[in-house]
Amino acid sequence: MVSEEGLEKGMFAKIRVFLEMIKFSHTVFALPFAFTGAVLAAGGMPSAHQVFWILMAMVGARTAAMGMNRLIDAEIDARNPRTASRAIPAGLIGTGTVILFIVLSILLMLYAAWQLNPLCLYLSPVALFFLWLYSYCKRFTSLAHVVLGICLAAAPLGAWIAIRGTVEVPAILLGLAVLFWVAGFDILYALQDLDFDRASGLHSIPVRLGVNGSLWAARVFHLVMLGLLAGLYLSAGLGPWFLAGLAATIAMLGYEHWLLRHGDLTKLDAAFFTMNGYISITLFVATLADVLAGRGGA
């Protein structure tokens, strides 16, 4: 018989594998933008109740999204040398376990939305639809990167709704900025699968435009993001701290694109993971500083 201690170790091992499979650490990309939206909507620090349930909604949504993506793409991942070692293709975790985690994550997201306000709960199925849709997009459209951007744009927009119960111009501008930011860096990330996607009949901006065209597309997307952030600065009445954060973001995006200027994917980790994590945190801290100083926010 398997001891109780053995069962606990087995469950913890599965949880560790699942968290690694969904890259739980990458939550840093969207979570600071969610709190940026919350801080702007509140005109200061949201309540502890709001912060906790926004965090739970984010954890549930992202965990469900990544779980669905890994499950839906398992067969494709098994054929791709870059992804063949992922948990499902490698047999480290079963599909039944993944489905269980997905269901629990969706329930967590819905319960968190219910704890925040009715509009958050009513809009949750829309968010879930786009999270599900993204995993299929590469099979029929090159705009999967934009759909991923829509998914992450829901973070600041949803957090604003959680606080205010409405949708207003600053929330829309911030959401659109996240959309173009995410779509831009996802185009760069997709470059590493260009040959495999092309041979497999999958769709992406790199497949359609090639390396050079994709680099330019990502640059344009990030220029649009910066323009939207400038619009946010004006519409939300933000001050010098946000401008400093915007200047730092321009520098980091410039460095990101400089690293990949020749399509050198050996520097992708520095450009994709490091720089984009810094960007989201920098903009949150800059926004928070201005709001606490009495500039910007509701």
Side-chain angles (χ1 to χ4, degrees), residues 50-74:
Q50 291 168 326
V51 169
F52 177 77
W53 287 112
I54 288 171
L55 175 60
M56 290 299 99
M58 285 290 300
V59 169
R62 191 188 180 283
T63 303
M66 288 298 293
M68 286 189 286
N69 179 259
R70 294 296 190 254
L71 187 63
I72 292 167
D73 278 354

Side-chain angles (χ1 to χ4, degrees), residues 8-229:
E8 289 180 357
K9 287 182 178 179
M11 179 54 67
F12 282 125
K14 287 183 178 180
I15 292 173
R16 284 196 300 271
V17 170
F18 182 77
L19 292 178
E20 172 59 28
M21 180 187 75
I22 65 169
K23 300 295 182 185
F24 186 76
S25 59
H26 294 175
T27 304
V28 71
F29 288 169
L31 187 59
F33 276 112
F35 287 135
T36 299
V39 164
L40 284 172
M45 289 298 297
S47 69
H49 172 88
Q50 291 168 326
V51 169
F52 177 77
W53 287 112
I54 288 171
L55 175 60
M56 290 299 99
M58 285 290 300
V59 169
R62 191 188 180 283
T63 303
M66 288 298 293
M68 286 189 286
N69 179 259
R70 294 296 190 254
L71 187 63
I72 292 167
D73 278 354
E75 186 272 330
I76 293 175
D77 287 345
R79 293 188 283 109
N80 186 343
R82 184 181 69 83
T83 58
S85 61
R86 285 178 175 172
I88 297 177
L92 299 178
I93 191 168
T95 57
T97 302
V98 175
I99 291 172
L100 174 62
F101 281 127
I102 291 170
V103 171
L104 292 175
S105 299
I106 290 173
L107 291 175
L108 173 61
M109 174 189 168
L110 294 174
Y111 185 74
W114 177 71
Q115 286 288 326
L116 289 164
N117 66 49
L119 186 56
C120 285
L121 181 60
Y122 298 152
L123 292 176
S124 293
V126 178
L128 287 169
F129 169 75
F130 279 101
L131 295 176
W132 168 83
L133 176 65
Y134 166 67
S135 295
Y136 288 100
C137 281
K138 70 177 71 174
R139 293 161 172 83
F140 61 88
T141 178
S142 299
L143 298 179
H145 320 284
V146 175
V147 176
L148 180 62
I150 292 172
C151 293
L152 271 72
L157 190 59
W160 179 286
I161 294 171
I163 303 297
R164 301 289 297 272
T166 60
V167 179
E168 298 171 46
V169 171
I172 293 171
L173 290 172
L174 181 57
L176 287 173
V178 171
L179 188 162
F180 281 95
W181 171 60
V182 170
F185 73 62
D186 193 58
I187 291 170
L188 299 177
Y189 188 73
L191 283 170
Q192 61 190 324
D193 288 329
L194 172 58
D195 293 335
F196 173 80
D197 288 348
R198 183 173 286 157
S200 301
L202 299 173
H203 300 269
S204 70
I205 294 294
V207 168
R208 179 174 289 273
L209 300 181
V211 174
N212 193 52
S214 297
L215 292 174
W216 277 107
R219 290 165 190 158
V220 170
F221 274 47
H222 285 159
L223 283 173
V224 173
M225 173 217 181
L226 295 172
L228 289 163
L229 288 175

